[in-house]
Amino acid sequence: MDNQTVLAALRDTVGREIRAVSEFRGDLSVTLTPAGYLAAAQFLRDDPELAYVFLENLCGVDYLGRKPRFEVVAHLTSLRHRHRVCLKVGCDEPDPTVPSLTPLFPTANYQERETFDLLGIKFAGHPSLTRILLPDDWVGHPLRKDHPLGDEEVAFTFNQERIYARKPFARE
Amino acid sequence: MGIEEKAGNLGIVTTTLETVVNWGRTNAMWPLLFGLACCAIEMMGAQASNYDLSRFGMELNRASPRQADLMIVAGRVSRKMAPVVRRLYDQMPEPKWVIAMGDCAACGGIFNNYAIVQGVDEVVPVDVYVAGCPPRPEALIDGIMMLHQKVMREKISGKKEAPIRLDQPLVQVK
Amino acid sequence: MTEPITVPTPQQIIEPAISGRTETMVLNMGPHHPSTHGVLRLVLELDGEVVVNLAPDVGYLHTGIEKTMESKTYQKAVVLTDRMDYLAPLSNNLCYALAVEKLLEVEIPERAQIARVLLTELQRISSHLVWLGTHALDLAAMSVFLYAFREREQILDIFELVSGARMMTSYFRIGGLAYDLPADFLPTVEQFLAIMPSRIDEYEDLLTANPLWLERTVGVGVIDAQAAIALGLTGANLRATGVAYDVRKAMPYSGYETYSFEIPIGKNGDIYDRYRVRIAEMRQSVKIAQQAAERLRELGPGPVVTPNRKVAPPPKREITESMESLIHHFKLWTEGFKPPRGDAYVSIESPRGILGCYVVSDGSPKPWRVHFRAPSFINLQSLAHMAKGRLVADLVALIASLDPVLGEVDR
């Protein structure tokens, strides 16, 4: 299995939905519309010749300042052909939403919840889209580029008095 | 090696109540079986065959906070975990001590970000800080020995001393 | 597949209980529990002793590693990867380094490649030893823990010899190794590899035919290959179901295609098979490490970082002689290198399964986004599927057999 075969098969089925194709360092990545993303994943999984049955990775990226701002990246692996293909789909504010892959691949469940938790991307069709890593009452999505790192000033000898004066030390 | 050698055949030992109580506390200090992150693995290493923490009467890790009197905070404390740590501490019976094991527990370490509490002393009062990322088992044992010495100096009034920091051990430990 | 696979959330189990469901009981297990291997919290729905449903609640060790990496230069971020899967820091280093090297397209010297393979295989053994010790401890076999940690200390001594640190070595850097291997490295490793097979026999003597061990593990926590792939189960857990998928063979990296080794697989996908697969993996790792040690001995001394001066600093003595080297050194230390725009995904076989790293570069010296496909995190999803209908006591064995590392689950 090589990149061209997969790409040709994808062009045959979801050709209209493909927005961009890139081959970088030997890896094929295909950017699709939201509808095409779901259709492509379903096709790659169900086609007996291709058999990309294993969703290896799913994550989101915040490209602040670009249109569309967010991108969801899914890496599908064919265990039989030992080949990987990358599907990308963009979504934009104010309501970044992409279709969920969980009905197709149950393993996407946690990865989509993590992406929702840390980046605030919603997945339409996900059975239980809630925060997973951060507490339920957390405000904000820390992996967004406009979210601060939240670091505190480090205490050294020259400034420790000032910092320790307002540090909330615990009591008995 | 027991006390009978020092007592000879008198059958009576005179000491202060403080000393005997503190001696008893140091030699049967039960740590809470409580691991958070990387340091917990080194804590396990300290209890395993090579470092053998049971030489100091501490092989018995208690999983229940109600039976433990030493909490070794081994690892980074996240904002989600902080209330749990405090609750475990509150459930431990008096007297109780806390060792902040590792840089993350002591000051946040390399994780200076939104998710990690910058030092577990914001959550529970700490008696001894052990430096290292993660500290070697020897460092943990050293920290525990230091705590033992501190406990030996405790007064019956129950007033606690200030924390001991490992960066200046010779100044503070007599 | 008879019924669709679902992965419930804690709320879905707790809420019916609050609103008046009385046939089953909800039990909270963790985040402080000796058998959850860290700070995993499980919400169990029980019918007597039988698990009806369960939901893992993770995030109690969320460290913000991915966010923090975005604020460091590429080389400095290596240190953060160590603390993710803290039983296999070198695997994390390797995965991240490979991903950035893929972006940079740098060549790694032969000696560094072999050292990487050798050390990650030792790391795999040490990680499996912790798994074995704690797994046996959970099922009340205390002595295995003491034996396993005895050998683990030897491996940690090797790491300390090499890098100065026992656990958090940060030894694999982008472009090669942090520094050359010490002179007494090979004799120490060979000595260890010579005794290790007999030590694995010792563990097997204690457990493999032990009736108590068999009773607790055979036929418990069964998952079939189809469900395992659907749930993204990887590593020894997947291979125990009979799927011979190992990234070291399927998509080789670091020259694994040149080593001769086998992929041990199981048949039934139960806890006992996972145990057998991991034990066999340790033997295979010894075999790979022996081949790597031989090659290192044949190869002799040589460079351990890439000659590309844009990525790795020049040797110290060159700096005093050459202006160009001084500039390279200065640039690397003040700014760091700049990979070209683009993204790269690399996966390796970590002791827990497929560890993937997705790096996005915007052409600046700091990564725009780093994402780790954490095998423990994804393996945890299958816990509910395997535990349904079993006793709570089996659940303890099941968690240990999945071998999750919570630092990696929460990152």
Side-chain angles (χ1 to χ4, degrees):
Chain A
M1 185 64 53
D2 57 15
N3 291 342
Q4 294 316 315
T5 324
V6 185
L7 187 59
L10 277 176
R11 280 198 203 283
D12 284 346
T13 47
V14 287
R16 283 159 159 232
E17 312 286 341
I18 294 176
R19 290 278 167 83
V21 176
S22 84
E23 256 192 280
F24 185 69
R25 306 281 186 257
D27 287 353
L28 174 71
S29 52
V30 184
T31 312
L32 299 127
T33 61
Y37 166 70
L38 199 62
Q42 173 126 37
F43 164 70
L44 288 172
R45 186 191 74 159
D46 292 341
D47 190 279
E49 287 298 303
L50 299 171
Y52 284 81
V53 291
F54 179 50
L55 178 76
E56 188 166 326
N57 178 44
L58 191 146
C59 66
V61 188
D62 175 10
Y63 291 101
L64 184 66
R66 205 176 87 173
K67 279 267 171 195
R69 177 175 168 185
F70 297 102
E71 192 174 78
V72 171
V73 183
H75 289 91
L76 291 172
T77 305
S78 170
L79 300 182
R80 193 194 309 157
H81 301 300
R82 300 173 171 196
H83 187 259
R84 197 160 45 219
V85 61
C86 169
L87 303 181
K88 292 179 179 175
V89 58
C91 54
D92 212 344
E93 285 184 303
D95 186 31
T97 309
V98 298
S100 168
L101 289 187
T102 310
L104 295 176
F105 303 92
T107 177
N109 191 318
Y110 269 24
Q111 308 191 49
E112 285 178 345
R113 279 179 68 192
E114 187 198 343
T115 311
F116 166 73
D117 190 358
L118 300 179
L119 276 160
I121 300 172
K122 296 197 184 79
F123 291 89
H126 190 285
S128 50
L129 199 65
T130 49
R131 285 195 184 271
I132 183 164
L133 293 177
L134 294 166
D136 288 329
D137 53 356
W138 191 276
V139 179
H141 301 284
L143 270 181
R144 286 191 175 186
K145 286 286 173 184
D146 49 9
H147 188 285
L149 180 60
D151 52 341
E152 292 173 18
E153 196 181 354
V154 181
F156 293 100
T157 318
F158 72 90
N159 61 0
Q160 77 175 40
E161 245 173 67
R162 176 167 56 81
I163 290 174
Y164 285 174
R166 56 183 165 78
K167 192 171 172 169
F169 284 110
R171 298 179 178 223
E172 289 280 314
Chain B
M1 270 301 280
I3 194 160
E4 65 278 5
E5 277 182 21
K6 290 183 182 154
N9 53 5
L10 288 173
I12 294 171
V13 182
T14 51
T15 179
T16 58
L17 183 61
E18 262 170 15
T19 315
V20 75
V21 166
N22 287 341
W23 172 81
R25 282 175 180 168
T26 52
N27 283 290
M29 197 176 260
W30 289 1
L32 181 64
L33 180 57
F34 178 55
L36 286 170
C38 336
C39 294
I41 307 296
E42 285 295 60
M43 192 166 80
M44 277 157 62
Q47 283 150 0
S49 23
N50 282 35
Y51 294 95
D52 197 10
L53 201 57
S54 60
R55 288 175 293 164
F56 307 103
M58 300 189 57
E59 78 277 28
L60 203 57
N61 270 15
R62 297 275 77 182
S64 164
R66 309 225 182 256
Q67 300 163 349
D69 41 19
L70 169 63
M71 178 189 240
I72 302 177
V73 184
R76 46 200 190 243
V77 182
S78 70
R79 304 255 175 228
K80 194 171 175 180
M81 191 66 192
V84 183
V85 174
R86 180 70 208 192
R87 188 163 182 171
L88 286 170
Y89 177 79
D90 288 341
Q91 284 177 340
M92 282 162 61
E94 290 280 352
K96 53 193 171 186
W97 298 275
V98 178
I99 291 180
M101 181 185 181
D103 289 353
C104 301
C107 64
I110 61 170
F111 300 112
N112 193 357
N113 60 24
Y114 65 94
I116 295 296
V117 176
Q118 298 299 303
V120 76
D121 46 12
E122 292 183 11
V123 183
V124 292
V126 178
D127 291 288
V128 175
Y129 297 86
V130 182
C133 190
R136 300 175 59 92
E138 291 102 318
L140 176 64
I141 293 171
D142 184 37
I144 289 168
M145 295 295 98
M146 211 163 277
L147 181 70
H148 283 182
Q149 284 167 341
K150 186 176 169 176
V151 171
M152 284 305 288
R153 291 198 302 272
E154 252 173 36
K155 297 282 172 257
I156 206 83
S157 64
K159 208 177 158 210
K160 272 196 163 185
E161 281 180 42
I164 304 171
R165 291 198 173 78
L166 276 194
D167 51 1
Q168 21 182 261
L170 295 175
V171 184
Q172 301 217 358
V173 177
K174 290 172 190 100
Chain C
M1 247 175 279
T2 46
E3 57 175 309
I5 297 167
T6 53
V7 185
T9 63
Q11 289 88 343
Q12 286 172 342
I13 290 181
I14 295 168
E15 264 156 26
I18 294 171
S19 58
R21 182 193 59 199
T22 49
E23 306 85 61
T24 54
M25 183 180 80
V26 171
L27 183 74
N28 182 53
M29 185 171 167
H32 165 70
H33 191 277
S35 76
T36 55
H37 289 233
V39 286
L40 172 65
R41 176 178 167 225
L42 296 173
V43 178
L44 311 175
E45 186 186 342
L46 299 176
D47 182 7
E49 272 277 297
V50 178
V51 178
V52 180
N53 205 350
L54 78 86
D57 183 10
V58 299
Y60 286 96
L61 200 58
H62 179 57
T63 318
I65 286 179
E66 286 171 7
K67 179 82 177 174
T68 313
M69 283 173 93
E70 289 171 11
S71 67
K72 308 269 180 215
T73 58
Y74 282 92
Q75 196 73 275
K76 281 182 185 170
V78 171
V79 177
L80 292 163
T81 62
D82 273 329
R83 277 93 184 152
M84 223 168 46
D85 175 357
Y86 40 77
L87 291 183
L90 285 169
S91 301
N92 302 341
N93 287 174
L94 181 64
C95 186
Y96 173 67
L98 285 175
V100 181
E101 280 159 10
K102 190 170 175 182
L103 276 176
L104 288 162
E105 283 193 306
V106 289
E107 282 297 306
I108 309 303
E110 181 72 16
R111 186 172 161 84
Q113 292 276 33
I114 301 171
R116 281 181 175 187
V117 169
L118 174 51
L119 288 166
T120 35
E121 289 310 317
L122 288 180
Q123 185 80 76
R124 191 183 314 277
I125 298 173
S126 83
S127 169
H128 281 354
L129 284 174
V130 176
W131 155 80
L132 181 68
T134 50
H135 189 10
L137 200 59
D138 282 347
L139 300 185
M142 178 86 194
S143 44
V144 184
F145 171 76
L146 297 172
Y147 283 115
F149 266 66
R150 180 186 59 185
E151 272 72 67
R152 184 181 142 85
E153 288 294 334
Q154 288 192 338
I155 300 177
L156 292 188
D157 285 347
I158 294 173
F159 291 158
E160 196 179 359
L161 183 75
V162 165
S163 71
R166 280 157 56 87
M167 281 169 68
M168 303 305 161
T169 52
S170 301
Y171 186 58
F172 300 163
R173 302 286 166 86
I174 295 148
L177 306 178
Y179 22 77
D180 202 358
L181 299 162
D184 48 351
F185 171 70
L186 273 179
T188 324
V189 168
E190 277 162 357
Q191 195 191 350
F192 168 74
L193 291 176
I195 58 154
M196 192 60 203
S198 63
R199 297 289 164 87
I200 299 174
D201 293 340
E202 268 181 35
Y203 315 140
E204 287 222 75
D205 284 347
L206 283 167
L207 294 175
T208 305
N210 184 334
L212 291 173
W213 182 258
L214 293 173
E215 243 170 65
R216 293 292 301 272
T217 57
V218 175
V220 179
V222 181
I223 188 164
D224 61 8
Q226 203 184 2
I229 291 170
L231 280 162
L233 201 64
T234 49
N237 306 314
L238 176 66
R239 289 190 285 275
T241 65
V243 181
Y245 188 79
D246 187 317
V247 187
R248 290 175 293 173
K249 284 270 191 208
M251 300 178 192
Y253 54 92
S254 293
Y256 266 108
E257 65 275 17
T258 58
Y259 295 85
S260 88
F261 63 101
E262 285 150 27
I263 308 174
I265 56 166
K267 207 165 59 192
N268 306 321
D270 58 0
I271 298 177
Y272 187 66
D273 274 12
R274 279 171 224 147
Y275 158 77
R276 291 297 292 270
V277 166
R278 285 208 178 92
I279 290 282
E281 260 182 26
M282 281 204 264
R283 292 189 196 279
Q284 294 299 325
S285 291
V286 171
K287 208 168 129 188
I288 300 171
Q290 271 164 345
Q291 294 170 40
E294 246 166 64
R295 286 184 197 186
L296 267 187
R297 200 173 269 288
E298 274 167 29
L299 193 68
V304 290
V305 283
T306 169
N308 187 344
R309 293 279 186 265
K310 299 273 184 252
V311 177
K316 255 290 187 273
R317 71 191 135 69
E318 251 180 54
I319 297 172
T320 55
E321 290 161 7
S322 145
M323 190 66 196
E324 202 193 348
S325 297
L326 186 68
I327 292 168
H328 280 312
H329 184 272
F330 181 76
K331 284 282 271 185
L332 276 176
W333 252 250
T334 51
E335 193 185 52
F337 50 78
K338 294 177 182 169
R341 271 168 186 276
D343 54 351
Y345 177 82
V346 163
S347 66
I348 69 162
E349 189 70 29
S350 96
R352 257 149 288 284
I354 297 178
L355 176 68
C357 181
Y358 180 67
V359 182
V360 181
S361 162
D362 65 337
S364 75
K366 291 175 182 173
W368 181 259
R369 171 91 163 95
V370 186
H371 173 79
F372 283 96
R373 182 224 189 260
S376 309
F377 178 63
I378 293 161
N379 288 356
L380 265 187
Q381 291 183 94
S382 52
L383 198 59
H385 184 78
M386 288 190 251
K388 272 179 200 170
R390 308 293 315 192
L391 299 178
V392 180
D394 290 337
L395 182 63
V396 171
L398 189 51
I399 299 168
S401 81
L402 274 181
D403 193 20
V405 167
L406 271 292
E408 190 186 53
V409 171
D410 299 341
R411 300 185 298 293

